[in-house]
Amino acid sequence: MSFDSQAWLAEARALIGEAHVLSADCGDDLSAYTRDWRNKFEGPALAVLRPADTGEVQAIVRLAARTDVALVPQGGNTGMCGASVPTAGGRQAVLQLGRLNRILELDPENNTATVEAGCILQTLQEQAAAAGRLFPLSLGAEGSCQIGGNIATNAGGVQVLRYGNMRDLVLGLEVVLPDGERLDLLRGLRKDNTGYDLKQLFIGAEGTLGIITAATVKLFPAPGAEAVAFAGVSSIAQAVQLLGAMRGRLGERITAFEVISGAAVDLVRHYFPDTPPLLEGACPWYVLMEASDGGSDEALHEAMQTALMACLEDGCLQDVVLAGNLAQGQALWMLRENITHAQQMDGGNIKHDISLPISRIPAFVEQMLPRLQQAFPGVRPIVYGHLGDGNLHFNVSAPRGVAPAAWQRETDAVNTLLHDVVVAMRGSISAEHGIGQLKRHELALYKTPAELDVMRRIKQALDPQGVMNPGKVL
Ligand SMILES: Cc1cc2nc3c(=O)[nH]c(=O)nc-3n(C[C@H](O)[C@H](O)[C@H](O)COP(=O)(O)OP(=O)(O)OC[C@H]3O[C@@H](n4cnc5c(N)ncnc54)[C@H](O)[C@@H]3O)c2cc1C
């Protein structure tokens, strides 16, 4: 039977309202929903659908399943691997969760919040803070990414070292399954041994198994004190040594430990010339670290200063500055956050989001830098990341004078060079950003046949029609 798109759109409008079904046929500009954040992936959409609640999501999913229209769940569309936009194949509609944005319950005694999937991450952080609590997930896109997207990507960020990633922060979920059934797993329990932990299937699944409509997440007591320091180190091995030394001295109080290469700092300075000078001399690598606890700022600063001075004496760092106040601390973090933006302004780079056991990171970096230069003379690696979690953004910028498009054609060769070594060292080719469209072919190369088989069987069991986010992950 032929597909009547006008009739389909009319049916969708009847379900969720005229104003909430956007389509190119009606002159709507869909590009904000059909093109990804990196401008790397774009696919046509029959419509962009903006339901208001779980019931409307169910109705749309049932319509899609009955009419063989695939759905692409979308949050803030800040994902890095093309998972949140349609692919070229088949009839696909974007299911935008932004209108499901309510905080349903904040329970300070249970230290939990129950929120709809479209709630912006920053809104949850602010509401938790107003209740004297901390929601610790924190990342550069927090002003626009959504909790549902954070869960579907198992987002990490800068405080994983202390609080874990999204998988560690989710206690309960509500999911609409590919046949429209509502799966209510919305419990705020820290202990529950009643069979399979079903919510884990949907965390990090990139919208391929169902639509997350709400979640119960963990909150923590708001830390009263924070201290931020920026250190120069002579090598990445020294950065690893410093991590061990600082954790040894300050323990769980170390909440973030970011490594930044000298080249990454130079790039930020080039595109953001107002970046204040940090240390007196230049170093090949830097570390941005943050500590927090429930005591006073003075006591924490003193503890951090004592620990840093001991590290200096022990030869774990070259130079260090401790932010004297909140504004100085924020300026240090701004430098870290501007790396992504500077790279975008700089043009083509080939991104890698890898993880390794922390102990193997120095050997990996020291091996890869010369190998990259040998294979691609003049190449500019911009390496930074969450060293405390063993996660590096090992991005490779084009040699000067090489056009971005020409450099992108080297993607497979650069990826193979890096990822073969990552996997040989028992690391992961995607620590944070996921698989999406970008690394789908690599997943098939690097996962074992047994892992791929189990993943395919789960997909087949939950989504036999292939309605959910086709062309992603598997
Ligand atoms: C400047 C910048 C910094 C970043 N820093 C980090 C970082 O430090 N750590 C990190 O992990 N990521 C980071 N990211 C990547 C990105 O922000 C995260 O992956 C984020 O979790 C995506 O959320 P989103 O709402 O934008 O999801 P989207 O991009 O809209 O979607 C991402 C995936 O989730 C699926 N999805 C979205 N909502 C739902 C839902 N309700 N139900 C089911 N599936 C859904 C989509 O189909 C897609 O597969 C960064 C991005 C930017 C632009």
Side-chain angles (χ1 to χ4, degrees):
M1 218 171 78
S2 70
F3 180 79
D4 181 346
S5 60
Q6 290 310 317
W8 195 92
L9 291 169
E11 209 169 329
R13 288 188 180 110
L15 293 173
I16 63 172
E18 182 94 24
H20 306 299
V21 177
L22 311 179
S23 85
D25 287 4
C26 297
D28 295 315
D29 178 7
L30 304 187
S31 58
Y33 306 98
T34 56
R35 191 181 302 147
D36 81 323
W37 190 85
R38 292 173 65 191
N39 276 328
K40 209 175 165 67
F41 295 98
E42 185 165 15
L46 169 65
V48 173
L49 309 161
R50 305 189 76 241
D53 56 32
T54 303
E56 289 193 0
V57 172
Q58 287 181 278
I60 287 294
V61 172
R62 288 195 179 113
L63 169 66
R66 178 164 54 76
T67 52
D68 231 358
V69 171
L71 293 175
V72 181
Q74 188 180 85
N77 196 15
T78 67
M80 295 282 195
C81 58
S84 53
V85 294
T87 57
R91 272 190 300 271
Q92 302 183 18
V94 172
L95 186 64
Q96 227 297 326
L97 277 299
R99 289 179 68 220
L100 280 80
N101 58 6
R102 289 174 305 158
I103 294 184
L104 301 173
E105 188 189 21
L106 233 150
D107 182 346
E109 283 175 353
N110 196 40
N111 271 315
T112 51
T114 299
V115 297
E116 290 185 322
C119 177
I120 300 284
L121 171 56
Q122 194 173 329
T123 307
L124 175 57
Q125 293 167 345
E126 287 168 359
Q127 293 297 313
R133 294 293 181 269
L134 171 77
F135 181 62
L137 186 74
S138 173
L139 46 99
E142 63 198 21
S144 45
C145 63
Q146 300 176 3
I147 294 301
N150 299 148
I151 296 171
T153 56
N154 185 26
V158 291
Q159 303 201 84
V160 173
L161 182 60
R162 165 100 166 254
Y163 299 101
N165 51 25
M166 204 57 192
R167 195 179 291 285
D168 303 297
L169 299 174
V170 174
L171 293 174
L173 279 188
E174 179 188 73
V175 179
V176 173
L177 295 172
D179 60 1
E181 185 81 18
R182 173 173 163 266
L183 184 63
D184 181 0
L185 311 168
L186 216 49
R187 299 183 189 96
L189 304 176
R190 286 165 176 83
K191 297 185 89 170
D192 177 14
N193 282 343
T194 51
Y196 304 142
D197 190 355
L198 296 179
K199 67 178 180 296
Q200 297 298 346
L201 279 178
F202 304 93
I203 304 174
E206 299 182 38
T208 59
L209 298 179
I211 313 282
I212 296 160
T213 45
T216 300
V217 294
K218 287 183 195 168
L219 303 179
F220 296 83
E226 278 174 8
V228 181
F230 190 79
V233 288
S234 58
S235 64
I236 193 142
Q238 195 177 46
V240 171
Q241 200 189 350
L242 180 60
L243 170 66
M246 288 302 286
R247 290 195 91 189
R249 287 173 189 281
L250 292 183
E252 291 297 299
R253 282 187 283 178
I254 298 290
T255 37
F257 197 93
E258 301 287 303
V259 72
I260 307 173
S261 68
V265 170
D266 293 345
L267 195 74
V268 172
R269 283 200 180 293
H270 181 77
Y271 287 100
F272 297 89
D274 292 343
T275 306
L278 301 165
L279 302 174
E280 296 217 333
C283 287
W285 293 88
Y286 299 92
V287 167
L288 174 61
M289 64 190 111
E290 185 173 285
S292 63
D293 68 16
S296 71
D297 274 335
E298 295 72 30
L300 182 63
H301 271 75
E302 206 175 305
M304 184 95 152
Q305 189 149 25
T306 306
L308 289 168
M309 286 310 112
C311 289
L312 189 62
E313 276 165 29
D314 292 349
C316 304
L317 59 86
Q318 305 299 301
D319 193 5
V320 65
V321 60
L322 180 59
N325 53 41
L326 191 67
Q328 281 175 18
Q330 283 168 345
L332 292 173
W333 273 112
M334 188 58 76
L335 176 128
R336 163 67 180 82
E337 274 151 28
N338 279 341
I339 301 172
T340 320
H341 303 299
Q343 283 218 277
Q344 216 181 22
M345 291 152 99
D346 194 51
N349 73 84
I350 300 172
K351 290 192 190 301
H352 302 94
D353 170 37
I354 58 156
S355 64
L356 286 157
I358 295 170
S359 51
R360 295 188 179 173
I361 284 185
F364 173 79
V365 172
E366 279 153 22
Q367 168 177 170
M368 282 329 301
L369 292 178
R371 281 181 68 176
L372 274 167
Q373 284 305 335
Q374 204 176 13
F376 307 97
V379 83
R380 293 173 298 136
I382 302 293
V383 182
Y384 63 98
H386 316 299
L387 185 67
D389 317 326
N391 173 199
L392 287 185
H393 298 299
F394 202 110
N395 297 342
V396 188
S397 291
R400 293 260 176 243
V402 173
W407 183 235
Q408 288 304 322
R409 286 196 285 278
E410 301 289 355
T411 300
D412 283 346
V414 175
N415 288 352
T416 305
L417 190 69
L418 263 104
H419 288 161
D420 279 359
V421 179
V422 167
V423 173
M425 288 184 156
R426 298 201 72 79
S428 167
I429 62 166
S430 177
E432 271 188 341
H433 295 159
I435 299 300
Q437 303 182 57
L438 185 71
K439 293 189 183 143
R440 196 173 159 225
H441 62 292
E442 288 196 90
L443 191 82
L445 286 176
Y446 292 119
K447 284 271 181 197
T448 63
E451 282 174 296
L452 287 169
D453 182 47
V454 174
M455 286 171 79
R456 286 193 189 109
R457 281 194 274 162
I458 291 170
K459 172 74 176 170
Q460 179 63 23
L462 288 181
D463 185 19
Q465 269 181 264
V467 175
M468 287 294 153
N469 217 0
K472 318 289 166 51
V473 184
L474 286 171

